[in-house]
Structures are given as C-alpha cells and as structure tokens.
Amino acid sequence: MAEDLQPMITPDYTPTDAAAPTGEVVIERASTPLEVGPKLNQTAADVVRFLMQQGEMVTATQSLTDDMIELFAAEVGAEIRLVDPGEEQENELLKLLEADFDQVELTEDFPIRPPVITVMGHVDHGKTKLLDQIRNANVAEGEAGGITQHIGAYQVDKEGRTLTFIDTPGHAAFTAMRARGADATDIVVLVVAADDGVMPQTLEAINHAQAADVPIVVAVNKIDRNNADPNRTMQQLSEHELVPEQWGGDTIMVEISALQNLGIDDLLEQLAVVAEVEDLRADPEGRARGVVLESNLDIGRGPVATLLVQHGSLRRGDPVVAGASWGRVRALLDDRGNQIKEALPSKPVQVLGLSDVANAGDAFVVAPNEKVAAKVAQTREHSQRIASLGRDAATTGGARLEDIFNQIQAGETATLNLIVKADVNGSLEAVVDSLQRLGRDEVKLAFVHRGVGGVTANDIQLAAASNATIIGFNVRPDRKARELAELEKVEIRTYEIIYKLIEDVENAMVGMLAPEFEEVVTGDAEVREIFRIPRVGAVAGCYVLNGAISRGSKVRFLREGAVIWRGTVSSLKRFKEDVREVQSGFECGIGLSDFQDLKQGDIIETFEEREVARV
Ligand code: GDP
C-alpha cells in the first residue's frame, strides 16, 4: 500500500544508484512493478515514479505493457528479453517432451507410409462430391453396407497401397494448418471444373500448394457436362506453370466426372504413383507425434479429436498433449468407427480422453508420462489466457458490418468487433484465420469471442455489450438467441460457404456490401419421434413450435444448433392426410427429400429468402 501511495507524494524519479544487472534479464510480459523493479536492481516505487514522469499512472501491483517495461529497462540501462508468461517454463518442459525425438534421417530402412492428400479448388467445382465418391467406392469394395464416419479424414486402399484423404476440402483449412506450422499434406488434388475453367480460388490453391512445396495432381472434373472443355482448362492451367504431361509438361492431369464416377480409379492410381516417387517414409517406433485435424465437443463422449499420426505409433492408454489439452487416450476409433489398438504413421484416428477441445492444426505428442503431459498443457493454458487478456478486442468503439465503411470514410480507424461461432474447431480456425488476413491499417478486426457451437443468447448479450457483429459458420441461432438479437439489434450473419463469408466482410470493408438476401425463418418444428416406413424411408414425427411448416419449403436441419443438412420438405402429413401446411401447436409428419439420419430433439427450420434493401 505504502508503495502505491509514495509516488503520489514524491513524483520525482532518479534511478537508484545500484548498477544495472549484467547480461540479459528475462522478464515475463504483463509483469507488475513489484516484479520488474527487483529484477533490474530497482524498487517497485522506482518503476512507478519513472512511469509517472512519462505520464503513465500505475500502481505497484498493476500489470505493465511491453512498452512500459522496455522504457524502464532502457532508463536503467538493462538489457532485457520479454517472454510470454510461462514461456521459459514451457521451454524447459518441451525439452523433456522432445528428449527422445532426435532428428532421424528417414533412410530406406524405414517403412513406407501412406501419402496424406488434400483436395483443393474453386467453390462448386466438385471437391465434396469427389471426396464422397472416393470414400463410398472404397466402403462398397471392402465391407458391404459399411458406413464411414466423418472424422475429418479417411483412408482408402488402392492396389495394395493406402491413401489418406483429408476430408475438409478447400484451402482455408490447409492454410490454417500451415499457419500453425503443421505441414500435414503430401499431395494436393486440384479440382477444376472443365465447364468453368481456372477461377480465383483455383489460383489461390495453386499458390498455397506451391508455397508449401507440395506436388499437385489436377482432376479436371465435370467432363460429363455438354459445355465441358478440358482442353481449354488445361490451356489455362499451363499459363500458371501447370503443364500437363500429355503436352510435355510434368503435371499429372486426370479427366474425371465426380458425379458419374468416371476416371476416379485412374486418379487414385496416379496418386499412388506420385506417392511412390515422393518416397514417403516414417519411423513407426516410439512415442507418437502428429497434428490435430479436427476437434469438437460431443455431448455423450466429451472432447473428441481427430489426430493424424505423423511419426511413431499412438496407442490406447498413451498420455497425449495437444496444445493446451491433454489426457490419457481412452479409445481410438478409425474412420469406420471401429475401435483400434494402435495407429501408425499417416493414420487418422478419433481420440477420446482429452481434457479439452484442442485447436485444429495444433501439434500433438505423446509425453513420457502423464505428469509431464498435464504440466505442459496447464502451462500452455495459463499462458494462452494471459496472452489473450492483452491481445483481445476493445469492448467499446466497435462498428457493425454495415456502417464500418462510413467510419473509414470519416477518416477514423474503424474496428470491426466480431464474434465468430462455427460447427467444429477446424472450420472455426479456418474462418478466423481467413478473416484475420483481411485486417488493414484503416480497419482492424477484433475477435471479441470465438467458439464452437450454435449462436446462443449469451453470444447475443456479449455482442450487444461489445457492439459486435456475430458471424456464424454452419451454425444457427436458437430461438431465444434470435429473439434477443432482434430486441438488442444485434446483427447475426450466418454462412455455409467460407468464401461467401470472407467476400461479405471484405465488401463491407470497402463499402460495397451487396443487397442482402435475408433468410426469413417461416417455421420450426421439433422432431419427437421417428418412423421408418418401407420404401419411403424415415419420417419425422414433429411438433410445430413456431410459424408454420409448408410442403416444398426450404429446410435447414439443426442438431444442437449446428446445421447438419439442407434441403426441402418433401412430404407433409397430418395423421394420414397429405397437407400443404401445418401451423404451430400441431403435430405432423415431415419427410425430408433424401435425409434419413433423424434424431429426437433435432430441429427442422423452414425459411424463405427475401431481398432486403440496404439503408
Ligand atoms: P465443392 O464446393 O467444390 O465442394 O463442390 P461440390 O462437390 O459441392 O459440387 C458442386 C456441384 O457440382 C454439386 O451440385 C455437384 O453435384 C456438382 N458436381 C460435382 N461434380 C460433378 C461432375 O462431375 N459433373 C456434374 N455434372 N456435376 C458435378
């Protein structure tokens, strides 16, 4: 206390006579004068007085900014290095973790591992369709009726060779991984629709792959279309240094139709050839290391992470650290949902038993024992929290998407406060990462909050308090959130295509937000019972909660706030009668075109699109 008050009385500062410490002094960011002073042979009061002279009023127990600490160090002539809290401690721990991981040269003595393949390309060119075809074809061959699980990656066998596919198409996820130093991909499949040719995202994908020095195999897709022109597409690609082999270049290009399942075998064979040439090897012995591909919270099972093993073997019972989460592996599941005992290099596995939801792109490693695992994770968690305190958004003075441009024009530096919610960690990372890159001098983006899951009333409150816009990716607000948003005038924008999301924010920043098609929710119904009817499939016995449900309307199917399917109401019945519309408060039977995976408690939301004029 005395130390807090003293500088008020004697504000003059002259450095204490003690000599400055010799050599480099390590100081944690956000230290207080009480911590900084003694490290530099001064008292806390010295620090406070000095800063006061510089016009900064601080108390002895208040955290200092980097600038303040550096200024004071310069004043007393000390050489310092600022580190994130826990960084030194973490480095020590990391040494323990890394102890056995001497760089081994992967000579021919080590076994071949499957290539890890990422599919990239322009939106709508057929990435998803291609990934689905490859996955399904393989299941049909192997085990009749087998169902693959979407765990973020899967493996297929092609003539005795295994190929690993990352199941999140698009370069946003790829880039997010790379940004975190995780080079998980060995080969990129670039999908280009032959009727559309090379488009902006095709070029971006090429750039990303080339920057990462990853070989590209081109799939010229949609050759079944009348207006498909594979030659023109190849010509365009040649202008960007991808010259097809058939023209004397060195890029493999395969013509396919993902829709009609043509050429896919050929594509897989070519991928096997490229893998052969790349001679990919790994050491399957020892503690496993790799990267987190995806991670989410499962109501029944707790945090679930899909890990891609890159070295060593991951086994049940192993103590794993992934970013700030850790735990003993309770169960390992492959892409068929089978329990497995161990996962070798290039194998994607779902892991249960982690303490927390990890970040996509985080490295994971098996620790020598549980104690080290826990310690590393806790240290990281602590330092991440402290760091985010300093970094995170201003909670006032933000602007909405719509009026951000006015602020820029008025010559003010505008801050666009955002709350980002997404369905899984992987997409959240990708969205935030892509948005971050939009920031410019005159417009700053501040992430007030980001999280996995539907948009909730809490998010709205936070947005209202911090004047933020909410961005939802593959998630929707629940009814309470929607009502509160209207009341609080909070803007919620939801997207299902990352490219569209980025485009909107980008356009808002240059004042060109296009007329918006507002999706007006016309009704929602809760699934209460599921009927399986021969030859018809699953019909949802529902209770209409709000508005009305009409036959033919567009539908979003929500589970715990996340959009898991889109389509239309294909049949609507009251008792046995086909009806056109059912109002709220009534029960009805809803059939959804080709969607069968119904569960009790799911929400069927119908909507219309209306154009809204901008003000
Ligand atoms: P993505 O955005 O790249 O993942 O593209 P999608 O896989 O969602 O495909 C976009 C649209 O193109 C969908 O309607 C697909 O059914 C269609 N599509 C994909 N591949 C083919 C193809 O080989 N031929 C035709 N005619 N349509 C295709």
Side-chain angles (χ1 to χ4, degrees), residues 16-229:
T16 310
D17 259 354
T22 50
E24 189 184 68
V25 181
V26 174
I27 298 181
E28 287 192 350
R29 295 211 152 78
S31 289
T32 64
L34 270 171
E35 291 156 343
V36 172
K39 282 205 161 182
L40 302 179
N41 297 345
Q42 307 281 317
T43 65
D46 290 334
V47 182
V48 173
R49 268 189 231 117
F50 168 73
L51 289 173
M52 199 174 217
Q53 267 177 13
Q54 316 298 317
E56 302 280 359
M57 304 290 253
V58 295
T59 64
T61 52
Q62 189 178 330
S63 288
L64 302 176
T65 64
D66 291 1
D67 281 351
M68 293 177 182
I69 299 174
E70 271 161 5
L71 217 58
F72 185 72
E75 173 72 17
V76 300
E79 194 188 327
I80 61 162
R81 179 160 60 91
L82 286 172
V83 296
D84 282 333
E87 192 178 302
E88 286 294 290
Q89 202 187 349
E90 188 179 330
N91 284 342
E92 286 302 307
L93 287 165
L94 282 182
K95 274 189 211 143
L96 265 181
L97 268 188
E98 299 291 333
D100 311 344
F101 295 143
D102 294 335
Q103 280 292 327
V104 275
E105 202 191 324
L106 293 167
T107 61
E108 287 183 3
D109 299 337
F110 289 96
I112 295 276
R113 67 172 173 85
V116 179
I117 301 162
T118 297
V119 175
M120 299 206 264
H122 196 72
V123 64
D124 273 349
H125 278 198
K127 300 178 292 291
T128 311
K129 193 85 201 157
L130 174 63
L131 280 163
D132 286 349
Q133 285 288 16
I134 297 173
R135 189 196 302 110
N136 294 339
N138 200 66
V139 171
E141 271 171 33
E143 42 197 302
I147 296 170
T148 45
Q149 318 277 316
H150 282 267
I151 68 166
Y154 61 84
Q155 287 192 314
V156 300
D157 290 320
K158 184 72 203 159
E159 283 155 15
R161 255 191 169 280
T162 304
L163 310 173
T164 302
F165 283 89
I166 307 261
D167 207 359
T168 31
H171 57 251
F174 178 82
T175 319
M177 292 266 173
R178 287 235 313 139
R180 291 166 162 272
D183 282 332
T185 301
D186 300 307
I187 306 173
V188 163
V189 171
L190 179 67
V191 178
V192 193
D195 58 344
D196 205 19
V198 170
M199 297 300 281
Q201 285 176 295
T202 318
L203 295 180
E204 274 181 50
I206 296 175
N207 292 339
H208 287 303
Q210 284 173 343
D213 208 12
V214 174
I216 298 175
V217 171
V218 177
V220 179
N221 191 26
K222 305 200 186 182
I223 52 158
D224 58 288
R225 290 224 163 139
N226 287 337
N227 55 346
D229 190 346

